[in-house]
Amino acid sequence: MKRIKFYKDNIKKYIKNKNSKILVLGADTLDKDIFNELGYNNVVFSNYNKITNNKDYLNIMMQDTGLDNNSFDYCVAHACVHHSSKPHNSILEMYRISSKGALIIEANDCLLTRLACKLNVAEEYELSAIKSNKDHGGVDNTEIPNYVFRWTEREIEKLIKSFEPRYKHKINFNYSYDIKQFNNFFLKLIFSLFFKIFKKQQNLLSIFIKKPFNLI
């Protein structure tokens, strides 16, 4: 799956030191498997659950972790910020508690994705997240289907500048795509060519917010 490769590639690109102290928010077994496979050995995995307290995961809400400033080298969130009832707060928490950088993999808010939602090819509210789980997997890991919050570069830039206006910010954006609905070879080829020309119309977006920054 292209999404998994995209996730791995961004981890390797931005977190070079395998001994870095890392917090992974909204984690599950996929995140554990990936970080183990890549050889990172100082990783804390978290996932909020109001029903049970699984000792394998730190039970904290991503929008309000209660952790100290700069308590981890890096914070990572893969395909989970859109499950938060306060997605902007979640990214600001990652910024606050990381000393070197925050890596977020989320959906890209582009014209093609908006069209896909209108045509019911993509979800605006993630009903599929709770289809099998019933009592969790939605907004804030409840039984309520979450709105799929998609991002733009400009929104991230404004968010970080507003939160910490004293610094010049270094934010890296990368794009990829993972379209499960189209299995036809020719459709895949057409989309591949289209995305080579219109890079920012791809549905996957990675955001890396580097710290520390230079004073303005």
Side-chain angles (χ1 to χ4, degrees):
M1 183 187 289
K2 281 199 170 186
R3 175 184 288 275
I4 304 306
K5 183 179 185 304
F6 186 59
Y7 186 19
K8 290 179 182 178
D9 288 347
N10 277 274
I11 293 169
K12 291 185 290 185
K13 181 175 183 177
Y14 294 114
I15 309 178
K16 304 289 188 184
N17 186 350
K18 299 291 179 74
N19 295 314
S20 298
K21 187 179 180 183
I22 302 167
L23 173 66
V24 182
L25 293 160
D28 60 17
T29 53
L30 171 67
D31 302 273
K32 284 190 167 188
D33 290 344
I34 285 174
F35 277 91
N36 286 334
E37 177 191 330
L38 296 178
Y40 293 88
N41 50 32
N42 192 13
V43 185
V44 174
F45 298 95
S46 72
N47 193 325
Y48 175 70
N49 192 321
K50 68 176 183 177
I51 301 171
T52 62
N53 193 1
N54 188 333
K55 64 181 181 180
D56 293 331
Y57 298 92
L58 186 63
N59 195 1
I60 54 174
M61 295 191 79
M62 65 180 76
Q63 62 260 38
D64 185 14
T65 65
L67 300 171
D68 293 336
N69 292 348
N70 303 316
S71 49
F72 287 84
D73 294 326
Y74 297 95
C75 286
V76 177
H78 169 250
C80 61
V81 172
H82 66 272
H83 285 274
S84 171
S85 57
K86 297 178 180 178
H88 293 83
N89 287 27
S90 297
I91 288 181
L92 294 180
E93 272 291 271
M94 295 178 68
Y95 175 102
R96 183 184 67 79
I97 62 179
S98 62
S99 64
K100 295 183 179 179
L103 173 64
I104 303 107
I105 311 288
E106 275 295 332
N108 180 32
D109 185 10
C110 59
L111 291 174
L112 199 62
T113 305
R114 292 177 207 172
L115 177 61
C117 287
K118 293 289 184 185
L119 297 174
N120 292 320
V121 178
E123 292 181 301
E124 188 171 11
Y125 289 87
E126 202 167 5
L127 298 173
S128 60
I130 62 164
K131 189 174 182 179
S132 58
N133 299 321
K134 305 298 183 185
D135 62 351
H136 67 281
V139 61
D140 293 336
N141 209 15
T142 67
E143 73 284 358
I144 302 169
N146 58 284
Y147 175 73
V148 184
F149 197 104
R150 297 173 169 94
W151 299 88
T152 65
E153 292 186 12
R154 182 65 178 152
E155 186 158 22
I156 293 293
E157 289 167 352
K158 290 190 295 181
L159 177 66
I160 301 303
K161 286 178 180 179
S162 299
F163 185 69
E164 186 49 276
R166 297 174 298 168
Y167 299 105
K168 294 180 181 178
H169 302 89
K170 176 68 174 175
I171 306 175
N172 295 100
F173 300 97
N174 295 289
Y175 294 85
S176 187
Y177 67 94
D178 186 19
I179 304 177
K180 306 180 186 71
Q181 294 87 347
F182 300 110
N183 293 318
N184 182 280
F185 171 78
F186 294 104
L187 278 176
K188 285 185 175 180
L189 181 61
I190 290 168
F191 272 104
S192 178
L193 294 172
F194 177 81
F195 290 143
K196 282 186 182 297
I197 302 169
F198 301 103
K199 180 183 71 172
K200 294 187 179 183
Q201 289 301 310
Q202 297 179 90
N203 66 334
L204 296 180
L205 172 65
S206 83
I207 304 149
F208 181 71
I209 307 164
K210 184 180 179 182
K211 291 176 73 179
F213 304 119
N214 296 323
L215 285 169
I216 290 177

